[in-house]
Amino acid sequence: MTSAKLLSDLKKARQAKNLSVLDLISTENLTLNDVELLLNLAGIFKKFVEGGAKKCDLLKGKTIINFFNENSTRTRSSFELAGKHLGADVINLAGSVSSGKKGETLGDSARTLDALNADILIIRDANSGAPFQLASLIRAPIVNAGDGWHEHPTQALLELLTLRERFGNKKLTYLFVGDALHSRVFGSQVRLYQKLGFEIRLAAPATLIPKGIENWGVKVFYKIEDALPGCDAVHAIRLQTERAAGKFVATGREYSKNYCINPARMALLNKGGVVLHAGPVIREFDLRTEVLESPNCLVQQMVENGLPIRMATEWLIATNPKQKANPWK
Ligand code: CP
């Protein structure tokens, strides 16, 4: 696909529509129109990338800053690549080497990056709510690349794109397994899938179930074998040991024995049912290798879809004609 064809397909799909939000912090305030727009454009970007013509200049002259204060492999590399494929100038800053280490506050670091005329600030931070707090402090739109226990909206969108490729628009019966309490991926997905009318289930030990989750329309199970029958998809949530989740289970061994997705458990899904995981996967603990290597395990497709989802996100955010209020004036 040429850049001219890409632009023409994007314009046709976009029809002058813009996201209803100026920052992308949560899936909660995305409208269904926003979700469809992001997925449609991601589908076009995916064809463009798969066609081998990776570079275009849709964001030429724009500056995107990836500010990652927590470890990341797939999110950071795909946001960076997305910006580069779109022709933007991309700066990557890791918290471990930033002036935050010398005592600068997160707000002051963000203001500093804003003063460099960033067009988007993409942030990952261990503190829940950090992107929300920064959004009112700076002029540049913020994209949340994962904040603490709260949300990871583009991760939810890339999984939805993967599910749409397999199931179309079917309203799925969908099971989360594991550490929902500390998972920002769960936070974004549950908000998104509720909007889409999925039947949502959760199987986890009582200590890892967020309080009041039934009020979000989630049906709770303690035994995974009771939850799997009738499901189209199961998403294994990693035990978030970086958030001390290990202290919420008696032993890792017992947790894995009860909740790891193995071939026998996978076989309880509906025919054609799929296994999902946001990554990084802890082999033999979250998923057995036989499951990870099954054609119905969509982990690799999810990683691939991260790139077009982040291209669509960056393009829509950077070209939204509505501007945020400038806190500097
Ligand atoms: N899914 C996810 O956020 O992975 P990374 O931590 O590798 O970015």
Side-chain angles (χ1 to χ4, degrees), residues 71-76 124 152 155 184-185 278-280:
N71 294 351
S72 170
T73 296
R74 60 226 90 220
T75 311
R76 185 179 145 175
R124 168 166 289 193
H152 191 352
Q155 181 67 41
R184 55 197 175 207
V185 173

Side-chain angles (χ1 to χ4, degrees), residues 225-238:
E225 283 79 6
D226 294 341
L228 280 161
C231 287
D232 302 299
V234 57
H235 177 117
I237 310 173
R238 184 174 57 82

